[in-house]
Amino acid sequence: METKEKNFEDSVEDFLISEAGGYIKGNHATYDKTRALDIPVMVSFIQATQPKLWQRFVNNYGDGAERQLYKVFQADVSRYGLIHVLRNGIKDRGIPIHFCYFAPSSNLNPDLTERYNANILTCTRQFAYSPDNHNTIDIVLSLNGIPLVALELKNQLTNQSIDKGMHQFMYNRDPRELIFNFNTRILACFAVDLYEVSMTTQLKGDKTRFLPFNQGSNGAGNIGDGGNPQNPDGYATAYLWEYVLQRDMLMSILQRYVSKQTIEHIVLIDGKKTTKSDTRIIFPRYHQLDVVEKLVSETQKNGSGHNYLLQHSAGSGKSNSIAWV
């Protein structure tokens, strides 16, 4: 067990880049730190899935096609947010370009299935993201050249825990850097150790809010305390990379779950009531993802019209679970 735990990062990467994980190993060489994109990977995906549209794009812009692609991509991300652009693509001079394809609802259209399978998901270790410093992130997961998920992996055998990972995100990752801009690149940051997981969807320095991303002490769907149960087959936190971040599940989360929500609340300023807005990205926590996926599976097997009792603790996102169902 000791040897296995000392190779924590290797174990996470090994699964993700396996056939079961669905990722390929990322390459630092073509990543543009200033643009926070891997343009060659992005173009490779577009050429493979939309060759005629890309040829029209190149006919319009010639040698400046990649530069124009970035310009329009970034303009729409700045205006609408990355979530919108991933789901809807862009349009330039009447040419629609998609930056990913989600799984079709059936296999009746082989072209849609082929496009979905053509998505390039990469797992990159020690991700050097900044043009201004030499900081690295333990693992970054990207979709067609767009970095989407950051993981800081900590090992208790080296006297580190998720507290160290959260501290790094809060104090050593500048939210003003493009890769960390809200709804612009990275959509979820995970601090992970051998026993627990925490997550945030927005870096705000020392005001960053992390939420537990655990199964519960007795496992998903069972009453218990915080944390995770022991895993006889590996790490207690393996559900994160073996289930939540597995290629198909991450694509499903991007398609169906992740959302931008604006919440208004009343605050007192100098004794006067004032309405303030708080906009945040909602990424399903483990218990929410688990219950929705279980209900969908049950409905597929047994049909609609059945009753179920769902238990969420106070403040754990019941409304979002209901909405996703």
Side-chain angles (χ1 to χ4, degrees):
M1 186 68 175
E2 181 177 345
T3 301
K4 180 175 67 173
E5 290 183 340
K6 284 183 177 178
N7 294 318
F8 185 40
E9 288 188 31
D10 292 336
S11 298
V12 177
E13 181 191 41
D14 287 346
F15 177 85
L16 288 170
I17 64 174
S18 70
E19 184 177 352
Y23 293 77
I24 61 174
K25 201 161 188 171
N27 184 357
H28 294 90
T30 53
Y31 180 75
D32 186 330
K33 297 177 183 177
T34 302
R35 293 175 172 177
L37 288 174
D38 194 323
I39 297 290
V41 171
M42 177 182 284
V43 171
S44 176
F45 164 77
I46 295 170
Q47 288 175 326
T49 58
Q50 305 149 83
K52 293 181 179 179
L53 293 173
W54 180 247
Q55 188 58 54
R56 286 173 57 193
F57 203 86
V58 172
N59 291 342
N60 281 342
Y61 296 106
D63 293 341
E66 291 188 10
R67 188 165 54 251
Q68 178 66 13
L69 178 70
Y70 171 75
K71 179 180 177 181
V72 181
F73 170 85
Q74 190 58 37
D76 275 24
V77 167
S78 297
R79 184 176 181 182
Y80 304 112
L82 179 60
I83 298 169
H84 174 92
V85 172
L86 288 175
R87 290 172 177 166
N88 298 281
I90 62 169
K91 185 174 285 189
D92 183 74
R93 291 190 182 181
I95 303 173
I97 298 289
H98 288 272
F99 296 97
C100 69
Y101 283 99
F102 295 110
S105 56
S106 73
N107 294 321
L108 296 178
N109 188 329
D111 289 340
L112 293 179
T113 301
E114 185 177 346
R115 288 179 180 178
Y116 171 70
N117 290 334
N119 286 310
I120 305 168
L121 284 92
T122 55
C123 169
T124 309
R125 287 277 294 274
Q126 297 306 312
F127 191 90
Y129 61 86
S130 176
D132 301 318
N133 58 58
H134 300 292
N135 289 348
T136 62
I137 303 169
D138 288 338
I139 286 181
V140 167
L141 305 180
S142 302
L143 170 62
N144 300 324
I146 307 167
L148 295 179
V149 176
L151 298 97
E152 290 293 350
L153 305 176
K154 303 305 167 189
N155 187 335
Q156 274 81 358
L157 288 182
T158 57
N159 297 317
Q160 294 186 334
S161 69
I162 58 169
D163 292 335
K164 174 65 174 179
M166 290 188 288
H167 187 277
Q168 283 181 306
F169 280 124
M170 294 170 71
Y171 299 102
N172 302 116
R173 309 287 181 249
D174 189 344
R176 294 171 297 182
E177 294 226 33
L178 183 59
I179 191 172
F180 297 123
N181 282 184
F182 178 74
N183 198 14
T184 297
R185 297 292 188 271
I186 299 262
L187 296 176
C189 298
F190 290 90
V192 191
D193 65 24
L194 305 182
Y195 307 108
E196 294 195 69
V197 182
S198 288
M199 178 202 68
T200 185
T201 56
Q202 185 174 10
L203 298 186
K204 294 182 177 181
D206 61 2
K207 295 181 174 61
T208 301
R209 181 173 178 239
F210 278 89
L211 294 172
F213 201 88
N214 299 316
Q215 299 180 80
S217 61
N218 291 320
N222 299 312
I223 295 174
D225 297 319
N228 291 297
Q230 290 185 354
N231 179 2
D233 299 317
Y235 300 108
T237 51
Y239 62 89
L240 177 65
W241 57 90
E242 292 181 357
Y243 175 65
V244 179
L245 299 179
Q246 189 273 342
R247 172 194 172 102
D248 294 323
M249 181 55 74
L250 179 61
M251 292 300 296
S252 178
I253 289 171
L254 293 172
Q255 180 183 14
R256 299 184 175 91
Y257 289 88
V258 173
S259 64
K260 185 180 76 170
Q261 295 183 6
T262 299
I263 301 171
E264 293 187 345
H265 52 277
I266 306 297
V267 297
L268 285 176
I269 300 179
D270 297 329
K272 296 181 180 179
K273 290 183 178 180
T274 303
T275 301
K276 297 196 72 174
S277 297
D278 180 23
T279 301
R280 61 186 65 171
I281 290 173
I282 304 299
F283 189 103
R285 294 167 67 187
Y286 184 83
H287 64 279
Q288 295 171 312
L289 182 66
D290 179 67
V291 74
V292 174
E293 290 294 316
K294 283 178 177 175
L295 283 174
V296 170
S297 178
E298 281 289 316
T299 304
Q300 289 173 336
K301 291 177 184 177
N302 303 315
S304 60
H306 299 276
N307 296 322
Y308 302 90
L309 174 64
L310 311 180
Q311 294 187 101
H312 278 11
S313 59
S316 60
K318 293 183 289 293
S319 297
N320 284 320
S321 295
I322 293 168
W324 283 320
V325 170

